[in-house]
Amino acid sequence: MHRSIHGRPYAETEDGPRFTPCAPNSVLARLGDKWTILVMSHLAVADGHRLRFSALKSGIDGITQRMLTLTLRNLERDGLLTRHYFPEVPPRVEYELTEMGASMLPALEGFTSWIRTNWPRIAESRAAYDNAQR
């Protein structure tokens, strides 16, 4: 018998519920990556959801040029943003959220809000667990 919990389908078997992955691990890993969340958040608050590479880099503490480049390429590959190249001197590159990328923002807001609300409890649980393991 097929059922669903929180939008996740599963089968009820003699041995109990059976879940199968619904998305490739690479998609889940990308969407949970700290740099992806920060890039998406930065584009979300930008005028027209569009920024130059230099503005993205200066607005995200701790990100290296290499990591920003990799993150942007992966988001472009997944269809969450578009790269706009302007053959000027010097060349200008801008990144913009796609319709699909913008549609992810409410889910991202819910996810980050949950983390912000529960982070103190998570930190306490980690400390208690670590102390018990000693």
Side-chain angles (χ1 to χ4, degrees):
M1 171 186 235
H2 290 279
R3 295 186 176 183
S4 168
I5 182 166
H6 308 297
R8 287 278 307 131
Y10 68 95
E12 194 63 57
T13 70
E14 291 179 6
D15 298 325
R18 178 124 179 124
F19 290 86
T20 56
C22 67
N25 285 341
S26 62
V27 173
L28 295 173
R30 170 124 342 88
L31 298 181
D33 175 71
K34 73 176 180 177
W35 299 122
T36 293
I37 291 171
L38 293 173
V39 166
M40 297 291 290
S41 297
H42 199 6
L43 287 168
V45 299
D47 188 35
H49 298 308
R50 190 172 180 155
L51 286 171
R52 293 180 74 163
F53 182 94
S54 58
L56 281 163
K57 183 162 182 338
S58 67
I60 301 173
D61 287 338
I63 195 165
T64 64
Q65 183 167 333
R66 180 181 183 282
M67 190 51 65
L68 179 56
T69 298
L70 289 172
T71 301
L72 290 168
R73 281 184 189 157
N74 286 328
L75 290 170
E76 182 181 13
R77 182 174 181 240
D78 289 346
L80 299 175
L81 60 79
T82 302
R83 180 181 187 265
H84 301 279
Y85 175 78
F86 301 91
E88 303 168 349
V89 178
R92 180 169 48 109
V93 178
E94 295 179 350
Y95 294 89
E96 178 181 22
L97 288 178
T98 62
E99 183 180 327
M100 183 170 54
S103 74
M104 190 181 93
L105 296 175
L108 183 60
E109 181 180 349
F111 182 59
T112 55
S113 176
W114 182 90
I115 292 169
R116 190 173 35 261
T117 299
N118 289 285
W119 180 244
R121 292 174 54 200
I122 292 169
E124 287 173 17
S125 294
R126 287 179 176 179
Y129 180 89
D130 292 345
N131 287 335
Q133 296 302 309
R134 291 187 187 133

